[in-house]
């Protein structure tokens, strides 16, 4: 049995994919076992600042909307599975509120 590829599927943006991978690896490197509550919020805020500073050094990302970069960064963090997604989402909500 053969499977057919969906030729109508959008091709992932390689630059945003690289940003996601960078975010995942960098977040894992910054994590420790005691990330919860205020510590998680502070670490996430610092990391988001670092991620956007990093993104602004990449010419291929300069024309990307902030929302797309943020989505790639958060996807990388969530993919790392270092902190439960509900805790990350709660921390992100507190940071952005």
């Amino acid at each position: 049995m053969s499977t057919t590829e969906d030729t109508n599927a959008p091709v992932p943006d390689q630059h945003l994919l690289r940003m996601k991978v960078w975010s995942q690896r960098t977040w894992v490197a910054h994590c420790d076992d005691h990330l919860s509550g205020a510590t998680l919020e502070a670490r996430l805020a610092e990391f988001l600042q670092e991620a956007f500073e990093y993104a602004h050094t990449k010419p291929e990302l300069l024309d990307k909307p902030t929302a797309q970069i943020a989505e790639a960064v958060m996807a990388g963090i969530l993919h790392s599975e270092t902190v439960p997604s509900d805790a990350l989402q709660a921390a992100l909500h507190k940071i952005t509120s």
Side-chain angles (χ1 to χ4, degrees), residues 10-21 60-61 64:
V11 176
D13 183 305
Q14 294 302 309
H15 303 300
L16 291 172
L17 184 60
R18 285 187 193 115
M19 187 68 199
K20 176 184 172 185
V21 171
E60 64 272 11
L61 293 174
K64 303 293 182 199

Side-chain angles (χ1 to χ4, degrees), residues 5-82:
E5 292 184 32
D6 183 0
T7 56
N8 295 325
V11 176
D13 183 305
Q14 294 302 309
H15 303 300
L16 291 172
L17 184 60
R18 285 187 193 115
M19 187 68 199
K20 176 184 172 185
V21 171
W22 176 90
S23 296
Q24 178 185 2
R25 291 178 178 167
T26 307
W27 176 254
V28 168
H30 285 41
C31 281
D32 57 34
D33 293 337
H34 307 291
L35 283 180
S36 63
T39 304
L40 175 58
E41 292 167 30
R43 185 71 54 91
L44 183 58
E46 290 170 4
F47 181 76
L48 292 174
Q49 181 175 346
E50 179 183 348
F52 278 98
E53 288 172 1
Y54 173 79
H56 285 109
T57 67
K58 300 296 179 189
E60 64 272 11
L61 293 174
L62 293 178
D63 66 336
K64 303 293 182 199
T66 301
Q68 285 184 334
I69 295 171
E71 185 177 312
V73 170
M74 287 308 296
I77 293 170
L78 289 169
H79 191 74
S80 71
E81 298 181 359
T82 55

